[in-house]
Amino acid sequence: ELRTVHERILDALPLGILWVDQRQQMAALNARGMELLGVKRGVVGLDASFVLEPFPWLMGGLAEPPGEPWRCEGGGRRWELRRIEAPNKIGALLQFEDVTELEAEERRRALRERFAELGEMTAGVAHQLKNGLAVLKGHGQLLSRAGHAEVAREILDETEQLERLVQRFLQLAKPLEPQCAELELAEVLSQAIAEIRKRPAFREVRFQCEGHGMALADAMLLQQ
């Protein structure tokens, strides 16, 4: 009855528990452990070296001293192992858990946090640039009214390009929310080409739009 109670307690645990006795036989493997390893209850009582041959990371874990948990790779998955302190007369106890998805989520969360920090920094820099560009644009407009049209045009063209660049930085700093609608792709492309032609470096370049088709998309984001 006591053994049955112990087995039920082990089977209720949400992580794998492996017990190898002093004779190096499988003394116990709880339900979660069997599920993680894909083995049946019949392995209990067999030689541990035979049962655990496909799982060398568990064999290695049994040889480690009791203490803090550690992580390792095995069978294409990531595992967290911990050798549990136990009296020598009962053999070795090992706790193990598949943390592959957990580590992936941890990496995704860390990446989201880094992007959030980058977004805040980008927004600050972009706003500072935007203020400076507004001053340059104002001076360009004053030059134009004063009769220096050619110089003013160059200043205003460069200012507009930098403003578009700043706008992209600001878009990086906030979540992307596409406003999708049915649109003609050729029309979006024509608008993009018209924007490119405004840049001095592309004034002598010839562009040709070919093909046609509809799409459910955000016209502004596609054009950018």
Side-chain angles (χ1 to χ4, degrees):
E1 289 177 356
L2 185 59
R3 183 180 181 86
T4 301
V5 170
H6 288 169
E7 288 178 353
R8 287 179 178 175
I9 292 173
L10 290 177
D11 286 344
L13 295 176
L15 40 83
I17 296 292
L18 169 64
W19 173 18
V20 175
D21 63 21
Q22 283 188 312
R23 297 172 297 172
Q24 298 301 305
Q25 291 182 341
M26 298 283 291
L29 181 64
N30 71 340
R32 178 56 178 160
M34 294 179 191
E35 179 185 348
L36 289 171
L37 302 181
V39 299
K40 304 295 183 181
R41 288 193 177 275
V43 300
V44 175
L46 299 178
D47 287 341
S49 59
F50 171 74
V51 176
L52 300 179
E53 184 179 2
F55 316 107
W57 62 93
L58 292 181
M59 288 294 291
L62 289 167
E64 293 291 327
E68 295 297 318
W70 71 93
R71 292 185 178 182
C72 64
E73 189 164 345
R77 309 288 290 177
R78 292 286 296 171
W79 302 87
E80 183 170 280
L81 308 180
R82 182 185 180 189
R83 176 75 188 281
I84 301 173
E85 185 75 55
N88 290 333
K89 64 181 181 179
I90 73 165
L93 284 171
L94 184 68
Q95 166 188 314
F96 61 99
E97 184 178 5
D98 186 341
V99 294
T100 307
E101 282 74 23
L102 177 62
E103 283 197 352
E105 178 56 33
E106 288 173 352
R107 287 194 296 270
R108 286 192 292 268
R109 184 169 60 251
L111 190 60
R112 285 195 298 268
E113 291 173 355
R114 289 184 64 184
F115 271 119
E117 292 173 0
L118 180 61
E120 292 178 7
M121 182 182 69
T122 300
V125 172
H127 280 298
Q128 291 294 327
L129 288 173
K130 200 172 182 181
N131 294 336
L133 289 173
V135 174
L136 288 175
K137 191 172 184 179
H139 284 294
Q141 291 168 345
L142 289 174
L143 284 171
S144 180
R145 287 196 289 268
H148 304 284
E150 186 175 347
V151 175
R153 187 68 262 162
E154 290 182 6
I155 293 175
L156 292 173
D157 284 347
E158 291 297 327
T159 304
E160 287 175 4
Q161 289 185 50
L162 290 172
E163 283 181 335
R164 284 193 290 269
L165 181 61
V166 168
Q167 189 61 35
R168 290 175 190 159
F169 276 115
L170 287 172
Q171 287 170 348
L172 285 174
K174 65 181 180 180
L176 193 63
E177 296 179 357
Q179 304 297 319
C180 294
E182 283 286 342
L183 50 86
E184 174 62 53
L185 292 175
E187 183 178 341
V188 176
L189 180 56
S190 297
Q191 292 173 353
I193 291 174
E195 285 292 322
I196 292 173
R197 280 181 175 149
K198 294 178 182 178
R199 305 178 185 180
F202 293 95
R203 284 176 182 166
E204 303 302 323
V205 179
R206 295 179 57 190
F207 295 93
Q208 184 173 338
C209 176
E210 296 181 352
H212 59 86
M214 303 293 294
L216 180 65
D218 186 309
M220 182 184 298
L221 291 178
L222 274 184
Q223 183 178 328
Q224 292 171 349

